[in-house]
Structure formats: C-alpha cells, structure tokens
Amino acid sequence: LFIPFFLVGVGLLIDLQVFVNSFETIKIAIVMTVLAISGKWLAAMMMQRLAGYTMNERNLMFGLSNSQAAATLAAVLIGYKLAIFNTEVLNGTIIMILVTCLLSAILTEKAAKKYVLEEAESGQNKMVLQEKILVPIANPQTIEYLVDLAVLLKSPQLHDPVYALSVILDHEDATDQILSNQKKLQNALKHVLTDKHTIQYVSRIDFNVSGGIVKAAKELLATHLIIGWNGHITTKERIFGTVLDHVLVHTKLMVFVTKVVHPLNTFKKLVVTVPLYAEKEAGFVSWINALANLSQQTSQKIHFFGNPTALEKIDIFIQSKQFSLESNFTPTAANREFDEMNKIFHIENLHITIISRKNMISYYPEQDEIPHKLAKLAQNGSFILIYPEWPSA
C-alpha cells in the first residue's frame, strides 16, 4: 500500500523541464546507471568464479540483483530534502531506476529460461510412471466418446482398466445418484466393453466437482485425465474459474480436454500443433505415445505443425520406437503453429493442440487464447487440447 504512494509522491517532485534544458541531468543519469550496472556485473562475475556457477547462473544472479528501486530512491530523496542533492541528481536517479529495472526484467527472463532448458537437457526430469487413465463423466451424451478416446489412447500392452469417475455433490442424495450414474455408464458403454479393455466405475462424494476429480486422481495414481468440454464458458465460470482451471492448478498429471462430435475412427487424419520447446517438457514422451496409440488403433495419419527443432525430435522418437504410423511434418515460425493449422482446418479432421501450463518451458502468453479460438473455429468439429504433465519434484 505504501510503496505506490511513495513512488507517486517522488514522481510529483520530478521537474520534466530539467530533462530537456539541462545536460547535467543526462550526464548524471548516465554515470549513475553505468556505475550501478557495472558494480552488479562485477559482483556477479566474482561470485561465479568463487562458487563455480555456469554462465546462465551468473546471468540469472546479475539480472535478479541489478534493479535499483526503493532503497536507492529513498536514500536520494532524503539527501534531496536535506539539500545534499540537487534536482539533477534526483531526476538522474529516476532514469537510473527505469533503465536498471527494465534491464533486470529482460535479463532475468532470458537467463531463467536458458537455465531451465539446461536442466531439462541434463535429464533430471525423466521418470516413467505406470499409465492410468481417469475419465470424469457427467453428461450421458459424451460418455461414449470420452471412454472411446481413453481406450484408444491407452497402451495396448497395459492391462489396467480405464477409470470412469462420477463426482457426487455432498448435498445430493448420494446413494441414489451413484447407482443412477453407474446404470447410465453401463448403458452408454455396451459396445466398448470387450475382453481386451475394461471400464471400472468409481465415484467420489465432494463439495465441488473439481475437488472430487483432484482427490480421485491422487488416490488412483492417475497419469492421464480426460475431460469433456463444450467450448463455452458461462459468466459464473469467468468470475470463479472453470472446473478445468482448478484441475490444471491442483494436479500435475497430463490432461486431455476434448470435444468430440463424431466417432473417433471416422476422421480422415490427426492434425497436431506443437509449441516451441515442447520436446524439453517432462510429458513429451507421454503425449507422443498416446497420439501414436490413437493413430495406430484408428489407422489415421498424423500431420504435425511446429518449430523445426521440436518436429525433428518427434520424428527421431517415432523412428526409434518403430511406430507403424504415417506422419507428415510442417515447420512453422516460433509460436505460429496454431495459425498455420488454422489455414487447413476441416471438420473431417481431429485437431489436437499441445498447450503448456503457465511457468512451463514451452509456455507463451498467447496460448491462453488458443482454447477459445479453437472452440470457436471448431463449432461443428472436434478437437483435443493436451496439457502435458508437470515435471516430478
């Protein structure tokens, strides 16, 4: 509360005419800025050599420590009020603060991303878990397609069942609701139940749907979560957040957000958009395996759009696993893969987009708008949004 008032108060003391009429202010600002940046850089260099840090660790330390703000401004302001410093020094300090804060933010962002990429390449986040797929069910009209998708994404050599989850709100008549949901599930899935794949019904009672999904995923040690979405957001959901928002925040497992309006084996091909640095994420292998299973079991070709480096890694992985699937690759500019896919959008294709959660390596702000753009684009079509798993701690 007090910092903004302090900064505004100091801002009112600045005489803008001094910047135009006095070269002394510019000279003082340049000297102060150069000295402040040089001092922090030398300190970071010395610490790098003493502690054996890498270049990216040094740059990160320099970026975090470089900004000059409250303490510097407070000291100069006291000197100004005591008539130790004149107006030129006060204005020069403001310029120094502006330059160092901007520089610090830019350097820290770049160094932090490179540091995380180094960690990813070092193989610290590679751990294979037993595959378990959890499918929350609510709408009887979508149960069939959701479980169909779960069965097709599932690795054929694994024999764990697909878990169909029904979350019952605590204030409802829980027993009757559980029995009713189980009956609806059985009626909707008669064609799916085979000797090869089994569906296990599970129910949870909770005060809200998202909480029940999160708890069930933890109890069952789920690795994949498949959620149906109609592409619409109500006013209440805009204010308080959707079930999907809460699930993405409170779980680390891979999430498939789906809107499927046709049987999965009727699509002509799978169109997949892959963001920059997707190959660095911990869930890279998992979602490729899932898509390979889907492609093989539906005999559909995969067309990948994305950064050339990511596509090359995907191609190498597919070849190494000897998947019997047909795939095409279209390189795109960084963070423009969705725009390229948009040009060839067709309702006869199943469009799949890899989206990162915030603070992951491959995340960029424009990804937040992709779900709504894709939902609008595919009003009469089908799509899947894949949120890769968080790396294990």
Side-chain angles (χ1 to χ4, degrees):
L1 177 64
F2 293 105
I3 291 175
F5 282 102
F6 170 68
L7 295 176
V8 170
V10 172
L12 294 174
L13 298 175
I14 298 174
D15 185 0
L16 296 177
Q17 292 184 349
V18 174
F19 290 101
V20 180
N21 301 328
S22 174
F23 179 73
E24 185 70 16
T25 299
I26 304 299
K27 184 174 71 175
I28 291 174
I30 293 174
V31 172
M32 293 180 70
T33 303
V34 171
L35 289 176
I37 294 174
S38 300
K40 296 295 184 181
W41 175 256
L42 290 173
M45 284 284 292
M46 291 175 62
M47 195 62 197
Q48 178 193 8
R49 297 193 176 185
L50 290 173
Y53 290 152
T54 64
M55 183 176 67
N56 279 329
E57 290 172 332
R58 179 203 64 199
N59 292 341
L60 182 59
M61 182 168 52
F62 170 61
L64 288 171
S65 63
N66 182 58
S67 58
Q68 310 289 325
T72 303
L73 192 55
V76 173
L77 183 60
I78 292 174
Y80 176 76
K81 289 185 176 181
L82 294 175
I84 299 173
F85 301 138
N86 56 19
T87 306
E88 285 79 4
V89 174
L90 178 62
N91 290 334
T93 304
I94 300 298
I95 295 177
M96 179 195 68
I97 291 173
L98 175 64
V99 173
T100 57
C101 286
L102 287 175
L103 182 63
S104 178
I106 294 171
L107 290 176
T108 302
E109 182 179 4
K110 289 185 176 180
K113 197 154 194 174
K114 289 181 179 179
Y115 178 74
V116 175
L117 288 173
E118 283 184 350
E119 282 194 332
E121 290 176 355
S122 68
Q124 294 180 6
N125 295 324
K126 294 181 180 179
M127 184 173 66
V128 179
L129 298 177
Q130 183 68 31
E131 180 183 272
K132 284 188 180 179
I133 300 179
L134 178 66
V135 185
I137 56 174
N139 185 355
Q141 297 178 348
T142 62
I143 292 175
E144 182 178 322
Y145 291 144
L146 290 176
V147 178
D148 265 342
L149 177 61
V151 170
L152 293 172
L153 291 173
K154 186 173 177 286
S155 299
Q157 64 271 20
L158 298 180
H159 303 291
D160 282 346
V162 171
Y163 295 92
L165 169 68
S166 176
V167 178
I168 312 299
L169 297 182
D170 193 44
H171 59 78
E172 297 179 359
D173 188 345
T175 303
D176 292 342
Q177 190 66 38
I178 290 173
L179 295 175
S180 174
N181 288 356
Q182 188 171 5
K183 186 175 181 180
K184 290 177 183 178
L185 177 68
Q186 291 173 348
N187 292 333
L189 301 178
K190 288 180 180 178
H191 76 289
V192 179
L193 299 177
T194 65
D195 293 336
K196 190 176 180 181
H197 302 288
T198 58
I199 313 298
Q200 183 170 327
Y201 176 77
V202 293
S203 60
R204 292 293 183 274
I205 300 176
D206 209 297
F207 292 104
N208 59 76
V209 175
S210 59
I213 294 174
V214 171
K215 291 175 184 176
K218 292 178 180 178
E219 292 172 9
L220 296 171
L221 300 177
T223 58
H224 298 37
L225 179 64
I226 300 177
I227 298 180
W229 183 48
N230 60 10
H232 303 296
I233 297 180
T234 64
T235 303
K236 179 181 177 181
E237 290 173 334
R238 290 184 186 277
I239 297 173
F240 297 104
T242 64
V243 171
L244 175 61
D245 294 331
H246 292 288
V247 169
L248 289 174
V249 169
H250 293 99
T251 64
K252 293 185 176 182
L253 66 164
M254 178 162 30
V255 180
F256 295 78
V257 181
T258 70
K259 178 196 173 188
V260 180
V261 296
H262 302 294
L264 288 160
N265 58 356
T266 62
F267 294 106
K268 287 188 174 180
K269 62 181 176 181
L270 311 178
V271 180
V272 184
T273 59
V274 184
L276 179 66
Y277 299 132
E279 74 280 5
K280 307 290 186 182
E281 302 287 7
F284 174 68
V285 172
S286 296
W287 64 256
I288 292 183
N289 276 325
L291 293 183
N293 293 333
L294 178 61
S295 175
Q296 291 180 38
Q297 297 196 62
T298 58
S299 301
Q300 292 166 349
K301 178 181 179 181
I302 302 184
H303 192 165
F304 290 98
F305 287 85
N307 181 266
T309 304
L311 297 186
E312 182 182 359
K313 295 288 186 181
I314 293 173
D315 190 25
I316 292 173
F317 181 80
I318 291 175
Q319 297 297 331
S320 67
K321 294 297 181 179
Q322 298 181 346
F323 290 126
S324 58
L325 57 88
E326 187 179 356
S327 56
N328 277 356
F329 300 90
T330 300
T332 64
N335 304 335
R336 291 292 178 266
E337 60 280 346
F338 181 79
D339 297 333
E340 294 297 323
M341 182 274 286
N342 189 12
K343 296 177 183 177
I344 66 163
F345 182 87
H346 199 283
I347 61 173
E348 293 184 354
N349 299 328
L350 178 58
H351 295 270
I352 303 171
T353 300
I354 313 300
I355 300 183
S356 302
R357 293 172 169 94
K358 290 184 179 179
N359 300 323
M360 295 183 74
I361 302 171
S362 58
Y363 173 79
Y364 58 93
E366 289 79 5
Q367 285 185 329
D368 295 336
E369 300 300 322
I370 288 180
H372 307 290
K373 289 181 179 179
L374 189 54
K376 185 176 181 181
L377 187 65
Q379 291 182 3
N380 299 317
S382 302
F383 63 84
I384 300 176
L385 304 171
I386 301 179
Y387 292 83
E389 66 193 65
W390 275 97
S392 301

